[in-house]
Amino acid sequence: RVYFNPRMLTMVGLGFSSGFPLLLVFSTLNLWLKDEGISYIAIGLFSLVKLPYSFKWLWAPLLDRLKLPGFRRGWALFFQLLLMAGIALISTVDPAANLRLLAVLCVIVVIASASQDVVLDAYRIESFSLKEQGAGVAVYIIGYRIGTIASGAGAIWMASFMSWNQVYLLMALGTLVGILTILLSREPSKAEK
């Protein structure tokens, strides 16, 4: 019965939003860089852009204390819009001509994604009772996996018939899933207290 709660559908959308940006700055990006003839050393150095994921616990308390309108939803919307802008800006870069700019944009996307993860984890935890937590996580992970498939296999499939820049521009629209989910959801009651 718990899986038919409308909050579970919200978790699928938020899980998608969390998993979606991940491959766009890792595996999918590596394929684009390889196609552009970027050296393996430079591609390897791009793995450093994922460091903010390891340190998101440093700024998590700040996100928990600073209030935006809508609190959890406000922060989630802010980071989702930042993700959309960052991914769209990545689509304008020629990696062979401006690898540093691409690296900076990727760091911005990773920071926004890691921060979004902090907010969405809090949102998920505050949305369910203790008995519902396991089901909430399970459904969230389903959405997360769908998001990674979309930004991984989906992007690679699209790159077979369009340029990588066009792929990333279309991928920026993938953030609309999270944006619409947040706009159509309510603030968790625990957060309001």
Side-chain angles (χ1 to χ4, degrees), residues 14-187:
L14 296 182
F16 181 96
S17 182
S18 181
F20 184 75
L22 189 67
L23 296 185
L24 293 176
V25 290
F26 299 135
S27 306
T28 305
L29 180 68
N30 291 345
L31 290 172
W32 181 14
L33 296 177
K34 185 177 179 289
D35 284 353
E36 293 291 325
I38 305 300
S39 73
Y40 287 120
I41 292 171
I43 292 172
L45 288 173
F46 259 81
S47 66
L48 294 174
V49 302
K50 69 180 177 182
L51 281 176
Y53 280 114
S54 300
F55 295 102
K56 60 186 175 184
W57 56 271
L58 286 172
W59 62 88
L62 183 66
L63 294 176
D64 201 38
R65 302 236 184 332
L66 293 176
K67 309 270 192 232
L68 287 181
F71 191 30
R72 303 279 186 224
R73 291 175 61 242
W75 275 120
L77 188 60
F78 172 77
F79 290 123
Q80 289 162 351
L81 292 171
L82 188 58
L83 281 168
M84 179 185 271
I87 296 166
L89 286 171
I90 285 173
S91 78
T92 66
V93 176
D94 175 6
N98 208 338
L99 201 56
R100 285 189 180 140
L101 176 59
L102 182 61
V104 168
L105 292 173
C106 286
V107 168
I108 291 169
V109 167
V110 169
I111 290 171
S113 178
S115 300
Q116 175 190 237
D117 286 353
V118 169
V119 173
L120 295 184
D121 283 345
Y123 185 100
R124 178 181 42 77
I125 290 166
E126 292 171 346
S127 293
F128 298 109
S129 69
L130 193 58
K131 290 181 180 181
E132 297 171 317
Q133 289 295 329
V137 170
V139 173
Y140 187 87
I141 294 298
I142 289 169
Y144 185 94
R145 295 295 180 206
I146 293 169
T148 59
I149 290 168
S151 63
I156 293 167
W157 173 73
M158 288 193 298
S160 68
F161 57 87
M162 64 177 65
S163 75
W164 280 107
N165 295 89
Q166 292 169 326
V167 168
Y168 270 74
L169 185 59
L170 286 174
M171 287 288 119
L173 297 176
T175 59
L176 289 173
V177 172
I179 291 169
L180 291 173
T181 301
I182 281 296
L183 290 176
L184 296 173
S185 65
R186 294 183 191 163
E187 189 72 18

